[in-house]
Amino acid sequence: DAGVIQSPRHEVTEMGQEVTLRCKPISGHDYLFWYRQTMMRGLELLIYFNNNVPIDDSGMPEDRFSAKMPNASFSTLKIQPSEPRDSAVYFCASSTRDRENYEAFFGQGTRLTVV
Amino acid sequence: GQQVMQIPQYQHVQEGEDFTTYCNSSTTLSNIQWYKQRPGGHPVFLIQLVKSGEVKKQKRLTFQFGEAKKNSSLHITATQTTDVGTYFCAGKYGNKLVFGAGTILRVKS
């Protein structure tokens, strides 16, 4: 398996623009997590899905952020409108209870810069 | 809410010295996981601890889980330059994985 695939790897956008980050989890994994990483706040859990259903979105900063998982192989995180303080590395991770450790496998991340 | 505190934030050691990072949760954890993130990379799973008082070893790395399942530590013996990176603990609260702030390790050769 190619692992968790995120796109794009880098995104530079202007304040006010819509940004969409994409994630393809590992095939067969039934949990998907979106994290945001900054120097100030570390790795923050934004939202996670189980079997494509959002379970906990309490980490989503505000209404400008939304996430969807239309099927088991694809998820998006959308920011509209984007602001400079949204600049961060966004990671997607997937996992499954079928593994003994139920560990999270992370994608390479999307580095977002909002200018 | 669920929160995992991790210290120290940063440690710079001479190659060959030992290194320890500590994690603490205000509430009991289902289990705790440890990850390593190399500079510019993504977090990679190292190990999971489940049982109260559990100790696990991976070569020079020793992981401990507290008796009350609220704290954990990672100890590296005789650090090497390949150990550089950020070490995260992640507490399991149900199905939710909450990461500590991480400890950045730098090793001087």
Side-chain angles (χ1 to χ4, degrees), chain A residues 35 37 56 97 101-102 104, chain B residues 37 48 92 95-97:
Chain A
Y35 287 89
Q37 186 173 38
D56 187 334
R97 283 192 172 280
N101 289 313
Y102 184 26
Chain B
Q37 184 177 23
Q48 174 172 280
K92 240 346 175 18
N95 293 318
K96 199 170 169 177
L97 197 59

Side-chain angles (χ1 to χ4, degrees), chain A residues 2-12 18-25 32-35 68 73-79 88-93 106-112:
Chain A
V4 176
I5 299 173
Q6 290 186 247
S7 64
R9 290 293 307 277
H10 302 273
E11 175 81 36
V12 180
E18 177 179 297
V19 176
T20 300
L21 311 181
R22 297 172 175 79
C23 175
K24 181 181 184 332
L32 185 139
F33 305 84
W34 281 100
Y35 287 89
K68 293 183 180 179
S73 59
F74 185 65
S75 176
T76 60
L77 178 68
K78 186 177 292 187
I79 308 172
V89 179
Y90 290 81
F91 286 105
C92 173
F106 282 76
Q108 298 291 327
T110 295
R111 182 174 294 278
L112 173 65

